[in-house]
Amino acid sequence: MIRTVTFKRSFHFGGSEEEAVVLRRCEASSTIDLSFPFQEDTPNIELGIAQAMDLRNALNDLIGEVLALPAPVTELFPSTRVSVADQSEFSALFDRFPSDSEGDKQARKALTLASGVLGLPLGAYMR
């Protein structure tokens, strides 16, 4: 089993770079391998189960116990009486009124009201 945690590493002189920590547990092994794959000069770290539990407990002590968060909704178009093709076409209508002119604002407001009546989700790109 492999788990990956990504994070941004900031530099003192400005900017940041995306980094990752990879955790691996082999079925036949009683250890957890901890790796920083983009840090070429950092060796892999092998933790016994007790050490891995100590790491978890230390994180819980620092940030408070965090239970598993609910998985984000990955369904782009939730179930509705409107077909996926029609939802896509409806979403495209927002692109026809891109400016901040009064007419475009009113059109987007009308589309927003219509989406509420139809029970369609509004993404950030449609507002």
Side-chain angles (χ1 to χ4, degrees), residues 17-29:
E17 194 171 277
E18 205 167 275
E19 288 285 345
V21 175
V22 178
L23 300 152
R24 177 181 65 178
R25 179 170 184 249
C26 297
E27 293 296 326
S29 174

Side-chain angles (χ1 to χ4, degrees), residues 23-78:
L23 300 152
R24 177 181 65 178
R25 179 170 184 249
C26 297
E27 293 296 326
S29 174
S30 62
T31 61
I32 304 293
D33 295 325
L34 186 98
S35 173
F36 294 89
F38 302 110
Q39 306 264 335
E40 297 170 2
D41 56 345
T42 303
N44 291 348
I45 300 166
E46 189 175 278
L47 301 173
I49 297 299
Q51 293 166 320
M53 296 299 286
D54 287 342
L55 176 60
R56 184 205 61 187
N57 292 339
L59 288 170
N60 284 342
D61 289 345
L62 292 171
I63 60 175
E65 189 169 352
V66 178
L67 302 175
L69 299 175
V73 177
T74 57
E75 187 178 18
L76 183 59
F77 294 108

Side-chain angles (χ1 to χ4, degrees), residues 62-116:
L62 292 171
I63 60 175
E65 189 169 352
V66 178
L67 302 175
L69 299 175
V73 177
T74 57
E75 187 178 18
L76 183 59
F77 294 108
S79 298
T80 177
R81 291 181 178 175
V82 180
S83 72
V84 172
D86 289 340
Q87 288 182 53
S88 181
E89 288 293 322
F90 184 83
S91 296
L93 290 175
F94 283 86
D95 293 335
R96 297 175 92 182
F97 307 100
S99 76
D100 282 338
S101 70
E102 194 57 37
D104 282 6
K105 285 180 184 179
Q106 292 299 322
R108 287 194 305 266
K109 184 176 180 179
L111 289 171
T112 301
L113 292 171
S115 68

Side-chain angles (χ1 to χ4, degrees), residues 5-11 15-20:
V5 178
T6 59
F7 60 95
K8 292 275 188 192
R9 180 175 60 143
S10 298
F11 299 105
S16 65
E17 194 171 277
E18 205 167 275
E19 288 285 345

